[in-house]
């Protein structure tokens, strides 16, 4: 399992519209093959910066299968208009820690 | 509640030592006032890049109280030797999404 971290900067004044766009896109992303969850956070220090985190079975489920799907086009149509620049995308794996 | 995201690049060959240092530091960080959890992930694209994510009751619990504490000195002693450069630190808040 990997977590996609998409760091997205949005246009001034677009916070509400962007957050609503992500909320509308949740069922679309969740239907994608190999998708196991999506979350959204907003930076305290940079209020126009968000991170969308999506759990995938593998990097290829995201970059190969999802990116080529109709779901990705729908996602971009819902949230892309609010982007300020191109999001940066990285994938991470959990490192187990004692709790 | 906020999540601290510390992006840490480490020195070549130090992955195992760094991960063990973070594991040792977990009880120290968890004892800090206002700390509600810690997790660690490693980048797939950049294997020397980690993100430590810590849940805090507020930004001040991290930047004011923890940073001034003995616990922070212990944390830095355990993991600081493996840093390659100064970590970047940001705080984020969750944006609720329908699931």
């Amino acid at each position: 399992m990997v977590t996609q971290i998409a760091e997205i900067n949005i246009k001034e004044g677009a916070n509400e519209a962007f957050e609503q766009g992500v909320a509308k896109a949740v069922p679309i992303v969740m239907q994608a093959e190999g998708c196991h969850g999506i979350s959204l956070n907003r930076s305290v220090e940079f209020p126009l910066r968000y991170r969308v985190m999506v759990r995938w079975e593998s990097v290829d489920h995201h970059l190969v299968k999802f990116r080529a799907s109709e779901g990705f086009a729908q996602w971009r149509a819902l949230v892309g208009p609010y982007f300020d620049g191109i999001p940066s995308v990285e994938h991470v794996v959990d490192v187990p820690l004692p709790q």
Side-chain angles (χ1 to χ4, degrees), chain A:
Chain A
M1 192 79 77
V2 303
T3 302
Q4 162 202 349
I5 303 178
E7 196 177 298
I8 300 172
N9 291 289
I10 64 156
K11 294 171 184 161
E12 188 87 40
N15 290 80
E16 194 177 330
F18 172 75
E19 293 181 15
Q20 287 174 352
V22 175
K24 279 186 200 157
V26 166
I28 297 163
V29 177
M30 289 296 291
Q31 281 168 23
E33 184 185 336
C35 177
H36 287 263
I38 177 169
S39 64
L40 176 67
N41 65 53
R42 184 177 57 242
S43 171
V44 174
E45 288 84 359
F46 307 99
L48 296 176
R49 180 181 297 167
Y50 289 84
R51 286 178 182 79
V52 175
M53 303 204 183
V54 186
R55 303 278 287 177
W56 296 101
E57 282 177 32
S58 71
V59 172
D60 278 1
H61 277 90
H62 172 219
L63 292 187
V64 180
K65 294 191 177 184
F66 181 61
R67 283 278 178 94
S69 72
E70 176 60 24
F72 181 68
Q74 292 172 332
W75 154 263
R76 284 304 284 260
L78 282 165
V79 299
Y82 311 112
F83 290 179
D84 182 15
I86 298 169
S88 72
V89 176
E90 198 174 329
H91 300 84
V92 301
V93 291
D94 293 335
V95 178
L97 289 179
Q99 290 291 338

